[in-house]
Amino acid sequence: MSSRIKTTKGRETYVSGRDTGRRLGAAELGSDLGERATLVQFSSAFCQPCRATRRVLAEVAALVPGVAHVEIDAEDHLDLVRELRVLKTPTVLVLDAGGRVVRRAAGQPRKADVIAALGEAL
């Protein structure tokens, strides 16, 4: 089940509930998981909302101890994109400490929404 959230700039973000329980690790992400949670961002080179999303996720990761931010170029990881059904960029996955996907959103998220989604992973 997913819900549509209007952002302050009129863009829409789609947020879905718990995923299938798929676990991701350093091998898939190309980076270590955060001690408490990981924010995974799928981006593409010419995606303007991806740049803003990068800033938001980096700020949240810096604010919350034990949270890492990993950005993945969707074009360079097409197998993973297909497996996880990433349909647009930016798409953000929130992983718990074990790498289980607990939340996902497509579109540019707001900082408050990212912090709230982290609550499920921590």
Side-chain angles (χ1 to χ4, degrees):
M1 177 180 288
S2 66
S3 59
R4 187 180 305 185
I5 299 171
K6 276 275 199 215
T7 64
T8 55
K9 295 184 180 177
R11 295 188 188 104
E12 292 182 345
T13 299
Y14 295 88
V15 179
S16 61
R18 294 196 176 272
D19 249 82
T20 61
R22 169 73 160 93
R23 293 185 185 273
L24 299 172
E28 294 93 352
L29 301 178
S31 183
D32 290 333
L33 293 174
E35 184 180 305
R36 298 175 65 204
T38 306
L39 301 169
V40 179
Q41 174 184 348
F42 285 90
S43 298
S44 53
F46 299 104
C47 168
Q48 184 64 33
C50 293
R51 293 181 205 139
T53 298
R54 179 184 310 122
R55 283 190 300 274
V56 168
L57 298 182
E59 287 176 16
V60 172
L63 265 171
V64 183
V67 173
H69 170 225
V70 176
E71 187 170 4
I72 296 175
D73 185 319
E75 295 174 38
D76 290 342
H77 296 86
L78 290 176
D79 288 341
L80 187 58
V81 164
R82 288 181 188 115
E83 179 186 343
L84 296 172
R85 287 174 265 163
V86 173
L87 303 176
K88 67 182 270 188
T89 58
T91 290
V92 177
L93 307 179
V94 179
L95 311 181
D96 65 12
R100 185 172 56 94
V101 179
V102 295
R103 288 295 265 184
R104 71 183 286 149
Q108 183 179 333
R110 295 179 307 152
K111 190 174 182 178
D113 295 331
V114 175
I115 292 169
L118 270 176
E120 291 188 40
L122 301 177

